[in-house]
Amino acid sequence: MAAWAAGRSDRFKAAVMCAGISDWAMLAGTGTGERRTARRPAATAGGGQGRCPHQGQSPISYVSQVRTPVLIVHGEQDTNVPLGQATYFHRALRRRGVPHAFVIYPREGHGLRERGHRLDFMRPTREWLDRWLKPAPQSRRRGIEGAAPAP
């Protein structure tokens, strides 16, 4: 949802995409959640010619509108939402010069299981949110004629 929101609105200062879907049509052919995805009309391979009807729900369809900085986090061995989903979104953001970071956790599937990875996940997430959400330090305001204000 974070990737979709980043491409559909400019109201967010930052986003964190965790094991996110960037292209529903690609997921139908590569993810292990095929039964769930296949319920979407024309989602599976050979579902007809032309654009899949649900492609309008895919974040990759709106990547040209993304201005929000995005942190992408994904497990290397995710079979539910394969790493290719994150890689696709990362490359599209990179081509467009959108600020983003891409973190891949080795040996992880759809969700972080290793304790060290769960703890580490907090670090880049906090750094990302601090970078984009914390207000810039205010410089000391000057009073009339450049004089410093009274304490």
Side-chain angles (χ1 to χ4, degrees), residues 79-91:
T79 57
N80 189 21
V81 178
L83 179 59
Q85 292 280 328
T87 303
Y88 190 19
F89 204 68
H90 152 70
R91 288 179 178 169

Side-chain angles (χ1 to χ4, degrees), residues 10 34 36 74 112 134:
D10 61 357
E34 185 175 346
R36 179 192 70 225
H74 215 96
L112 303 177
K134 274 190 171 180

Side-chain angles (χ1 to χ4, degrees), residues 100-141:
H100 71 287
F102 189 14
V103 179
I104 301 170
Y105 285 97
R107 302 177 305 281
E108 294 290 3
H110 193 70
L112 303 177
R113 303 274 187 261
E114 294 182 26
R115 184 176 190 275
H117 290 161
R118 288 193 314 254
L119 293 172
D120 181 74
F121 168 74
M122 292 181 231
R123 182 191 46 79
T125 302
R126 182 176 179 181
E127 289 172 0
W128 189 255
L129 296 176
D130 282 351
R131 177 179 177 189
W132 298 103
L133 301 182
K134 274 190 171 180
Q138 290 184 352
S139 60
R140 203 175 152 116
R141 294 183 183 208

Side-chain angles (χ1 to χ4, degrees), residues 49-68:
Q49 291 187 350
R51 188 175 163 105
C52 293
H54 64 276
Q55 198 61 19
Q57 298 171 16
S58 295
I60 203 68
S61 297
Y62 302 96
V63 74
S64 66
Q65 299 170 40
V66 175
R67 303 292 179 268
T68 303

